[in-house]
Each structure stands twice: as C-alpha cells, then as structure tokens.
Amino acid sequence: VVTISAESLKVLAVDHIGAGRCAHAGLLLDDGRLCATSGIDMSGPAALDDMVVVSWDSTPVPGAAKEPGGRAPVAIDMAWTRYEQSGEGTPARFAHTVSAANGRLYMFGGIDFERDFSDTLVADIPPMPNAG
C-alpha cells in the first residue's frame, strides 16, 4: 500500500486536460467535483500517473426563457485542476479501479504497457481550490 498526502500533490491549473484520455478511472466526489485518475494519454499514447479534478458553478442566464419542464437555463463555469505526484509515487497505469471513502481515494491494480499491478494506492482527496 502506497499512501500519498494531499500536500505531496503538485497542482497544475489548466484550461483543459489536454489530449483525450481513455482507460482511466473516474468518480464523483462527495463535494460534487468529478475526478479522473491515470489512464492513457491519446496523444502519446502513454500511461498517465496524474489526477484531473473538475469543479463547476452554475448561474441562471438573465432574461432567458424557461426550458420545457419549467427549468431556467444556466451558464456553467468549469474549472479544471490537474494534480501530479511529487517525489516518489505510484507508477503510471490504466485499466485500474478507484473509489472514495472518508476523504481518501483508493486506487487498485491496473496495467501499463509492460506489466500488471496488484498494488493499492491511498491518497488524500485534494481540497477544493481556495478552500485552504
């Protein structure tokens, strides 16, 4: 079991997450953010060892007509944050699983282009940006 604290993650604010990724694991965090871990970088292809977290805010569109069903249209402001491991971490991988419980992410298994993994990574869930 490898344990990584939130303090050991390097934060890279990005406008988007770059080229597409596949074979990643994703989940919705309790605070509403969407998290994608590792996977394959489609521009490479190469195995990834990062984590991308997407948060968003929605605000009503002033003066817009309501949609069918009575809902008011909203504008969505998305913020992408990419986290990389600093120091010694876990090898890049794809086709793994990830779950969240008690403020931590649990990643198990996966493969890279040469080997299979049966390890478990436990990582603190990074706080919301500007949450301190």
Side-chain angles (χ1 to χ4, degrees):
V1 174
V2 176
T3 302
I4 297 176
S5 70
E7 293 80 26
S8 70
L9 295 173
K10 180 178 176 185
V11 178
L12 303 168
V14 292
D15 293 332
H16 57 85
I17 59 171
R21 74 173 57 207
C22 68
H24 57 279
L27 71 153
L28 186 63
L29 301 173
D30 288 340
D31 60 15
R33 294 179 294 162
L34 182 64
C35 175
T37 62
S38 301
I40 297 175
D41 180 344
M42 297 304 293
S43 67
L48 298 167
D49 66 351
D50 65 351
M51 175 172 43
V52 177
V53 179
V54 182
S55 57
W56 53 81
D57 288 320
S58 61
T59 54
V61 176
K66 291 193 174 187
E67 297 174 349
R71 293 185 301 176
V74 295
I76 298 176
D77 181 27
M78 297 178 72
W80 301 82
T81 305
R82 184 170 165 236
Y83 298 88
E84 289 183 338
Q85 299 175 52
S86 59
E88 188 174 333
T90 182
R93 66 190 64 214
F94 54 91
H96 56 288
T97 63
V98 66
S99 298
N102 301 319
R104 291 192 160 174
L105 293 176
Y106 297 87
M107 184 187 315
F108 175 75
I111 58 176
D112 65 13
F113 293 102
E114 299 175 0
R115 60 197 159 172
D116 298 336
F117 297 104
S118 61
D119 59 349
T120 301
L121 167 71
V122 180
D124 292 336
I125 295 175
M128 293 276 288
N130 302 321

